[in-house]
Amino acid sequence: MSSISFERSWQISLESATELWLDFPSISIFEMAPVAKGMFSYLKDFDEIPQKDPRLKAHTVVLFKMTCEAAVQLREKGEVVVSENTLKNLGSLHVKKGVIDPHFEVVKEALLRTIKETVGERWSEEMGSTWAEAYDQLAATIKPKMKA
């Protein structure tokens, strides 16, 4: 895992967070899987995605932060560790919303696409691999709790 690639993309992403990360769900996830909109109770009554909705922004920030933390943990410890309580909550919430394994792949693709767009010409395959591995490891910690 390359700390230079991750650190560089992390910094660039933070600088662009307001614009690109707020757009992340609607630009990527809802384009690739329009039915995902139905998983967010506060979006069901909207034809268009309300870009300024604070709940949507909060969800995006949590996803991004957890993936960043996973990448840092992988680099420093070689594994992703999430508290049991957090995992139980995430597992329960994802089951309640109807999340299944293929949904994780859609979110991963959306995350990688957004980071690639954010860092522009500084994107590299190594950077993409770092973020993908972090996301995969995070998803791997949540999925067993969904089955419990």
Side-chain angles (χ1 to χ4, degrees), residues 129-141:
S129 294
T130 300
W131 281 98
E133 182 180 349
Y135 179 84
D136 287 344
Q137 292 290 327
L138 180 60
T141 64

Side-chain angles (χ1 to χ4, degrees), residues 36-53:
K37 187 177 138 196
M39 295 178 169
F40 296 85
S41 60
Y42 52 87
L43 297 179
K44 287 181 182 176
D45 297 329
F46 291 97
D47 291 332
E48 297 282 324
I49 304 301
Q51 296 294 331
K52 305 281 186 206
D53 192 297

Side-chain angles (χ1 to χ4, degrees), residues 78-142:
E79 66 178 334
V80 174
V81 179
V82 181
S83 77
E84 188 64 26
N85 193 38
T86 298
L87 286 175
K88 278 184 179 177
N89 290 337
L90 287 171
S92 172
L93 179 63
H94 282 77
V95 166
K96 186 168 87 174
K97 296 295 182 180
V99 174
I100 56 175
D101 280 357
H103 295 146
F104 283 93
E105 287 303 310
V106 170
V107 172
K108 176 182 168 181
E109 180 62 33
L111 178 72
L112 293 175
R113 189 188 315 180
T114 302
I115 294 168
K116 185 175 183 176
E117 182 180 322
T118 304
V119 300
E121 65 187 39
R122 293 169 274 201
W123 175 261
S124 69
E125 290 306 313
E126 183 180 15
M127 186 184 297
S129 294
T130 300
W131 281 98
E133 182 180 349
Y135 179 84
D136 287 344
Q137 292 290 327
L138 180 60
T141 64
I142 296 169

